[in-house]
Amino acid sequence: MSNDTELKEKENVNEDVYDKDLLDQLLQDGDIDAFREEFLSMHNYEQSEYFEDTDEEKRQKIFEFLSPSEVADFFDHLDIDDEEYEELFDNINANYASHILEEMSYDNAVDILNELSKPKVASLLTLMNNEDANEIKALLHYEEDTAGGIMTTEYLSLKSTTPVKEALMHVKEQAPNAETIYVIFAVNEDDQLVGVLSLRDLITAENDAYIEDVMSERVISVDVATDQEDVAQIMRDYDFIAVPVVDYQNHLLGIITIDDILDVMDEEASEDYSRLAGVSDIDSTNDSVIKTAMKRLPWLIILTFLGMITATILGSFEDTLSKVALLAAFIPIISGMSGNSGTQSLAVSVRNISTGDIDEQSKFKVALREAGSGLLSGIVCSIILIIIIISIYRQPLLAVIVGGSLTCAMTVGTLVGSMIPLLMNKLKIDPAVASGPFITTINDIVSMLIYFGLATSFMSYLT
Amino acid sequence: MSNDTELKEKENVNEDVYDKDLLDQLLQDGDIDAFREEFLSMHNYEQSEYFEDTDEEKRQKIFEFLSPSEVADFFDHLDIDDEEYEELFDNINANYASHILEEMSYDNAVDILNELSKPKVASLLTLMNNEDANEIKALLHYEEDTAGGIMTTEYLSLKSTTPVKEALMHVKEQAPNAETIYVIFAVNEDDQLVGVLSLRDLITAENDAYIEDVMSERVISVDVATDQEDVAQIMRDYDFIAVPVVDYQNHLLGIITIDDILDVMDEEASEDYSRLAGVSDIDSTNDSVIKTAMKRLPWLIILTFLGMITATILGSFEDTLSKVALLAAFIPIISGMSGNSGTQSLAVSVRNISTGDIDEQSKFKVALREAGSGLLSGIVCSIILIIIIISIYRQPLLAVIVGGSLTCAMTVGTLVGSMIPLLMNKLKIDPAVASGPFITTINDIVSMLIYFGLATSFMSYLT
């Protein structure tokens, strides 16, 4: 690699590190040898990037020029929208497609098959060789977002009584097929997990030792039904490259490797983030205007109805409003500040639930602390607001009513924001409902009741 | 491990997998042998968990019972608040502390030193042996959130002309010190990076081959100044276990391993999430009420002032309001819906900037698409709202004014939400300012101007 391209590549890491125009040209010219030489010298990730960016006609040429196993290598890196897999596989000859899936990592093949129609999956499995088809069928049974759904069965395991020398030979043999050879699992006669060792342990071991002498017996494993987010947390905490997946009798079923966990973390972070914003699917940038609107509308329609509750409540205070019109001027600031502090607390609370760093009791302590900080910030903001209102409008009572309402609204707002996700979690309701806009709307209703309740009580002094 | 504890451990992954009470007891009794046996059989991560949960007195006992190198093993996993390191290290004998840091991974030692005061760092470095002190000093020069700031210099590199057999010996020798032995870097005579190979490549290579025969010359490396988020993206895309860090002349300076990247991803996701909620520091659960309030107040005070702009605008429409008090009832729904759709667009826009998946032009296309979807959803929600208002209040003109304002407010809201972070990014202003509450408040001002502008124009027909 010349120093020039090296430098260019680093200025902007997102820039293509391969020559798209050259590859396009070679495909168009049908120059199979030159295309293969250029394409196969690229990293699998770059190959997948090129494939994603290219059109149907060129994709057909690629399938013509490459073997299923060469395609499988970069399909392992493919990152397209879930809905696009169906179309992609409809355009590949079924026999060729089944060979691609055979050659892919089992876990990645399963991820793809999960997006295809049932008849399509059935026909692809029939075309595969029996061994691969059976392994993949077994993996298809697990829920997509559990340890079982993301694990692969291509791992290295050895009986704990194996001599180190023999083990090294075995690792060497299995190297081309295993998902990782850097973590090796030790099992007993019944295939139960009894130990773990790293390749580092193996190559630094005495030559006359046995696996059981060098393995660690304190194995951290995850149950096959464990949520993928919890698996990610464990791998992050322990700095694992791979974690074993077992059934309830401690039989080794598969492994999950760190590269899959990076994707899980990204997925889960996106999910939390979208929830806070009240968007269901944040990452499809190719949707049309209508599709984007259709996705957001259900939420927005619910919020319109909830908003009408606020409107109706305010409507019932029409009398108060028509007598002191200036009260209306402070509606946005009170509802806004209670919404803002509620969203802040919501974010903290959701974060606490999802990282699982603290226990049940502390969570409620955190919620109370949030309310306390809401009260304190409310008082400070209210004092500022009271000073501004008095200096602009010269109406001390109005100022005090607005300020008092702001303090109450912010205290209640933080309490609502931090408690609702906790309660939902306790009641096993999906906390997705407790998204940002929902909390904001609830806080609107509460804060307006406080504000106009106070204002109406002091009505006689105001007019 | 008995099957019982194994099962218990899996029911709740957050439950302690070690016996805290036993360890506490052994420390209290001063039973050094029993404590060492129990503690050293635990995984380093569990050791760090126990240490984090224990009090000062017990910590002193731990330092008494363990060697600096044993402490270093779990300090590599330590995950406490940045502010706590100062106090922690003030309580450790300086000589002992310097030995701990010597024995830690360089990158982790640097992370800790970055949190300590300058005189403290200087005194610790003086006490260290020269070699380690120099390596750490060199790493301390890099910005914390760049490739240089998170890399370590404990990597395996070999001349590309080394025979495979000799290389394997070298790997075996270096195994205890290197951060990873699974990725090996090949350099030329001038220490410039020329190739990369995995341990897998090395152990499956022919015995009489040379490194240059098995290495890949298409090395993906990152510049020492690359932002850590971009490094994370590259490692995720390419499924790397380790990535090399080079200077502008392609000299190998260090490596970044996948376990550090997991922490980076978590950090960056937290940052995006906090921004959306308008919270600066989401993860410290131990802060007092006053500290929490102090952290949020700057933001909330700014928002109070911004809110007063909205209030002043509304105050100038006092005439309109006192004539048609019912107008006030729809203030929250209009400002709320424009805020909600703005936050949704903000989330999409920020996400697009931070993943860097799409180019500059497409970003603006996405912004326009957002506005289009805002218009479309606005029309649908407005129709619903108009029907409800007419059926409750029997005032068609009022309904149309509210509906029309809602459509405009939602269209402008989505446009503001998606454009502001893009513009800030273009103007090189920190997009942190474009947090959720800020966008919501901007949208408040705009939507109220639209609403009361429309209402005042049609005043004569309303009364």
Side-chain angles (χ1 to χ4, degrees), chain B residues 313-314 316-317 320 327 401 405 445-459:
Chain B
I313 291 172
L314 283 180
S316 71
F317 289 108
T320 313
L327 281 174
I401 290 175
S405 306
I445 297 174
V446 176
S447 62
M448 287 304 109
L449 276 175
I450 295 173
Y451 181 32
F452 281 91
L454 268 178
T456 310
S457 314
F458 291 94
M459 233 354 239

mmCIF file of all heavy atoms in Angstrom, chain B residues 313-314 316-317 320 327 401 405 445-459:
data_model
loop_
_atom_site.group_PDB
_atom_site.id
_atom_site.type_symbol
_atom_site.label_atom_id
_atom_site.label_comp_id
_atom_site.label_asym_id
_atom_site.label_seq_id
_atom_site.Cartn_x
_atom_site.Cartn_y
_atom_site.Cartn_z
ATOM 1 N N ILE B 313 -43.781 36.568 24.241
ATOM 2 C CA ILE B 313 -44.508 36.566 22.975
ATOM 3 C C ILE B 313 -46.010 36.380 23.232
ATOM 4 O O ILE B 313 -46.844 37.136 22.734
ATOM 5 C CB ILE B 313 -43.999 35.425 22.061
ATOM 6 C CG1 ILE B 313 -42.571 35.752 21.604
ATOM 7 C CG2 ILE B 313 -44.915 35.217 20.868
ATOM 8 C CD1 ILE B 313 -41.903 34.623 20.854
ATOM 9 N N LEU B 314 -46.324 35.389 24.078
ATOM 10 C CA LEU B 314 -47.732 35.142 24.382
ATOM 11 C C LEU B 314 -48.349 36.343 25.095
ATOM 12 O O LEU B 314 -49.499 36.704 24.838
ATOM 13 C CB LEU B 314 -47.873 33.893 25.249
ATOM 14 C CG LEU B 314 -47.736 32.564 24.518
ATOM 15 C CD1 LEU B 314 -47.893 31.412 25.494
ATOM 16 C CD2 LEU B 314 -48.790 32.467 23.423
ATOM 17 N N SER B 316 -47.731 39.366 24.637
ATOM 18 C CA SER B 316 -48.052 40.410 23.672
ATOM 19 C C SER B 316 -49.360 40.115 22.944
ATOM 20 O O SER B 316 -49.917 40.965 22.266
ATOM 21 C CB SER B 316 -46.903 40.580 22.677
ATOM 22 O OG SER B 316 -46.868 39.458 21.830
ATOM 23 N N PHE B 317 -49.844 38.876 23.080
ATOM 24 C CA PHE B 317 -51.135 38.536 22.473
ATOM 25 C C PHE B 317 -52.255 38.567 23.518
ATOM 26 O O PHE B 317 -53.299 37.961 23.329
ATOM 27 C CB PHE B 317 -51.081 37.144 21.828
ATOM 28 C CG PHE B 317 -50.255 37.079 20.568
ATOM 29 C CD1 PHE B 317 -49.032 36.439 20.545
ATOM 30 C CD2 PHE B 317 -50.722 37.666 19.388
ATOM 31 C CE1 PHE B 317 -48.264 36.378 19.382
ATOM 32 C CE2 PHE B 317 -49.970 37.606 18.223
ATOM 33 C CZ PHE B 317 -48.743 36.965 18.223
ATOM 34 N N THR B 320 -55.803 39.268 22.255
ATOM 35 C CA THR B 320 -56.425 38.126 21.590
ATOM 36 C C THR B 320 -56.897 37.119 22.631
ATOM 37 O O THR B 320 -58.014 36.604 22.569
ATOM 38 C CB THR B 320 -55.399 37.431 20.663
ATOM 39 O OG1 THR B 320 -54.745 38.430 19.893
ATOM 40 C CG2 THR B 320 -56.065 36.417 19.772
ATOM 41 N N LEU B 327 -58.612 29.820 23.281
ATOM 42 C CA LEU B 327 -57.370 29.632 22.520
ATOM 43 C C LEU B 327 -56.275 29.034 23.400
ATOM 44 O O LEU B 327 -55.468 28.224 22.958
ATOM 45 C CB LEU B 327 -56.885 30.981 21.966
ATOM 46 C CG LEU B 327 -57.573 31.523 20.717
ATOM 47 C CD1 LEU B 327 -57.060 32.927 20.430
ATOM 48 C CD2 LEU B 327 -57.316 30.608 19.526
ATOM 49 N N ILE B 401 -58.305 26.896 12.857
ATOM 50 C CA ILE B 401 -57.110 27.649 13.262
ATOM 51 C C ILE B 401 -56.158 26.755 14.053
ATOM 52 O O ILE B 401 -54.949 26.698 13.783
ATOM 53 C CB ILE B 401 -57.491 28.889 14.104
ATOM 54 C CG1 ILE B 401 -58.171 29.913 13.198
ATOM 55 C CG2 ILE B 401 -56.258 29.498 14.761
ATOM 56 C CD1 ILE B 401 -58.690 31.131 13.920
ATOM 57 N N SER B 405 -52.556 25.496 12.658
ATOM 58 C CA SER B 405 -51.346 25.789 13.427
ATOM 59 C C SER B 405 -50.589 24.515 13.743
ATOM 60 O O SER B 405 -49.358 24.485 13.703
ATOM 61 C CB SER B 405 -51.710 26.478 14.750
ATOM 62 O OG SER B 405 -52.507 27.596 14.511
ATOM 63 N N ILE B 445 -41.328 28.406 20.868
ATOM 64 C CA ILE B 445 -41.378 29.802 20.422
ATOM 65 C C ILE B 445 -41.981 29.888 19.026
ATOM 66 O O ILE B 445 -42.913 30.647 18.760
ATOM 67 C CB ILE B 445 -39.948 30.414 20.428
ATOM 68 C CG1 ILE B 445 -39.408 30.429 21.859
ATOM 69 C CG2 ILE B 445 -39.949 31.808 19.828
ATOM 70 C CD1 ILE B 445 -37.967 30.879 21.987
ATOM 71 N N VAL B 446 -41.472 29.054 18.117
ATOM 72 C CA VAL B 446 -41.950 29.083 16.732
ATOM 73 C C VAL B 446 -43.432 28.722 16.650
ATOM 74 O O VAL B 446 -44.220 29.402 15.983
ATOM 75 C CB VAL B 446 -41.114 28.118 15.860
ATOM 76 C CG1 VAL B 446 -41.667 28.063 14.439
ATOM 77 C CG2 VAL B 446 -39.652 28.530 15.844
ATOM 78 N N SER B 447 -43.821 27.670 17.379
ATOM 79 C CA SER B 447 -45.203 27.207 17.229
ATOM 80 C C SER B 447 -46.196 28.212 17.817
ATOM 81 O O SER B 447 -47.294 28.398 17.284
ATOM 82 C CB SER B 447 -45.378 25.822 17.853
ATOM 83 O OG SER B 447 -45.112 25.861 19.230
ATOM 84 N N MET B 448 -45.802 28.904 18.902
ATOM 85 C CA MET B 448 -46.711 29.890 19.479
ATOM 86 C C MET B 448 -46.868 31.102 18.570
ATOM 87 O O MET B 448 -47.946 31.677 18.450
ATOM 88 C CB MET B 448 -46.201 30.337 20.867
ATOM 89 C CG MET B 448 -46.386 29.276 21.934
ATOM 90 S SD MET B 448 -48.114 28.734 22.078
ATOM 91 C CE MET B 448 -48.045 27.095 21.398
ATOM 92 N N LEU B 449 -45.758 31.484 17.897
ATOM 93 C CA LEU B 449 -45.842 32.591 16.944
ATOM 94 C C LEU B 449 -46.809 32.237 15.824
ATOM 95 O O LEU B 449 -47.648 33.050 15.412
ATOM 96 C CB LEU B 449 -44.455 32.906 16.366
ATOM 97 C CG LEU B 449 -43.583 33.830 17.209
ATOM 98 C CD1 LEU B 449 -42.198 33.973 16.593
ATOM 99 C CD2 LEU B 449 -44.246 35.212 17.333
ATOM 100 N N ILE B 450 -46.706 30.989 15.321
ATOM 101 C CA ILE B 450 -47.609 30.551 14.252
ATOM 102 C C ILE B 450 -49.060 30.559 14.740
ATOM 103 O O ILE B 450 -49.955 31.131 14.098
ATOM 104 C CB ILE B 450 -47.232 29.121 13.780
ATOM 105 C CG1 ILE B 450 -45.841 29.117 13.141
ATOM 106 C CG2 ILE B 450 -48.276 28.578 12.807
ATOM 107 C CD1 ILE B 450 -45.322 27.734 12.796
ATOM 108 N N TYR B 451 -49.273 29.965 15.920
ATOM 109 C CA TYR B 451 -50.632 29.812 16.440
ATOM 110 C C TYR B 451 -51.304 31.158 16.662
ATOM 111 O O TYR B 451 -52.388 31.433 16.154
ATOM 112 C CB TYR B 451 -50.564 28.992 17.728
ATOM 113 C CG TYR B 451 -51.883 28.699 18.413
ATOM 114 C CD1 TYR B 451 -53.072 28.524 17.684
ATOM 115 C CD2 TYR B 451 -51.936 28.564 19.798
ATOM 116 C CE1 TYR B 451 -54.261 28.230 18.329
ATOM 117 C CE2 TYR B 451 -53.121 28.267 20.442
ATOM 118 C CZ TYR B 451 -54.286 28.109 19.719
ATOM 119 O OH TYR B 451 -55.459 27.818 20.356
ATOM 120 N N PHE B 452 -50.623 32.047 17.414
ATOM 121 C CA PHE B 452 -51.279 33.314 17.728
ATOM 122 C C PHE B 452 -51.242 34.287 16.565
ATOM 123 O O PHE B 452 -52.089 35.174 16.475
ATOM 124 C CB PHE B 452 -50.733 33.903 19.024
ATOM 125 C CG PHE B 452 -51.334 33.227 20.209
ATOM 126 C CD1 PHE B 452 -50.748 32.126 20.780
ATOM 127 C CD2 PHE B 452 -52.567 33.636 20.693
ATOM 128 C CE1 PHE B 452 -51.336 31.468 21.835
ATOM 129 C CE2 PHE B 452 -53.172 32.983 21.749
ATOM 130 C CZ PHE B 452 -52.559 31.890 22.329
ATOM 131 N N GLY B 453 -50.291 34.110 15.676
ATOM 132 C CA GLY B 453 -50.302 34.892 14.447
ATOM 133 C C GLY B 453 -51.578 34.590 13.672
ATOM 134 O O GLY B 453 -52.346 35.492 13.309
ATOM 135 N N LEU B 454 -51.830 33.304 13.468
ATOM 136 C CA LEU B 454 -53.041 32.873 12.757
ATOM 137 C C LEU B 454 -54.300 33.339 13.486
ATOM 138 O O LEU B 454 -55.211 33.911 12.874
ATOM 139 C CB LEU B 454 -53.069 31.336 12.663
ATOM 140 C CG LEU B 454 -52.464 30.689 11.417
ATOM 141 C CD1 LEU B 454 -52.545 29.171 11.529
ATOM 142 C CD2 LEU B 454 -53.207 31.164 10.173
ATOM 143 N N ALA B 455 -54.325 33.095 14.816
ATOM 144 C CA ALA B 455 -55.519 33.419 15.603
ATOM 145 C C ALA B 455 -55.832 34.913 15.533
ATOM 146 O O ALA B 455 -56.978 35.324 15.354
ATOM 147 C CB ALA B 455 -55.343 32.961 17.045
ATOM 148 N N THR B 456 -54.775 35.748 15.658
ATOM 149 C CA THR B 456 -54.997 37.190 15.651
ATOM 150 C C THR B 456 -55.503 37.655 14.282
ATOM 151 O O THR B 456 -56.358 38.538 14.185
ATOM 152 C CB THR B 456 -53.701 37.928 16.038
ATOM 153 O OG1 THR B 456 -53.198 37.351 17.234
ATOM 154 C CG2 THR B 456 -53.947 39.401 16.283
ATOM 155 N N SER B 457 -54.977 37.039 13.206
ATOM 156 C CA SER B 457 -55.430 37.418 11.863
ATOM 157 C C SER B 457 -56.916 37.160 11.691
ATOM 158 O O SER B 457 -57.625 37.916 11.017
ATOM 159 C CB SER B 457 -54.679 36.622 10.790
ATOM 160 O OG SER B 457 -53.313 36.610 11.066
ATOM 161 N N PHE B 458 -57.371 36.043 12.284
ATOM 162 C CA PHE B 458 -58.782 35.691 12.076
ATOM 163 C C PHE B 458 -59.666 36.138 13.245
ATOM 164 O O PHE B 458 -60.830 35.787 13.310
ATOM 165 C CB PHE B 458 -58.924 34.180 11.848
ATOM 166 C CG PHE B 458 -58.346 33.739 10.544
ATOM 167 C CD1 PHE B 458 -57.041 33.280 10.453
ATOM 168 C CD2 PHE B 458 -59.112 33.825 9.375
ATOM 169 C CE1 PHE B 458 -56.502 32.901 9.238
ATOM 170 C CE2 PHE B 458 -58.574 33.450 8.163
ATOM 171 C CZ PHE B 458 -57.268 32.981 8.086
ATOM 172 N N MET B 459 -59.059 36.899 14.185
ATOM 173 C CA MET B 459 -59.727 37.448 15.360
ATOM 174 C C MET B 459 -61.166 37.869 15.109
ATOM 175 O O MET B 459 -62.094 37.415 15.779
ATOM 176 C CB MET B 459 -58.952 38.717 15.756
ATOM 177 C CG MET B 459 -58.468 38.853 17.158
ATOM 178 S SD MET B 459 -58.962 37.627 18.269
ATOM 179 C CE MET B 459 -59.799 38.738 19.388
#
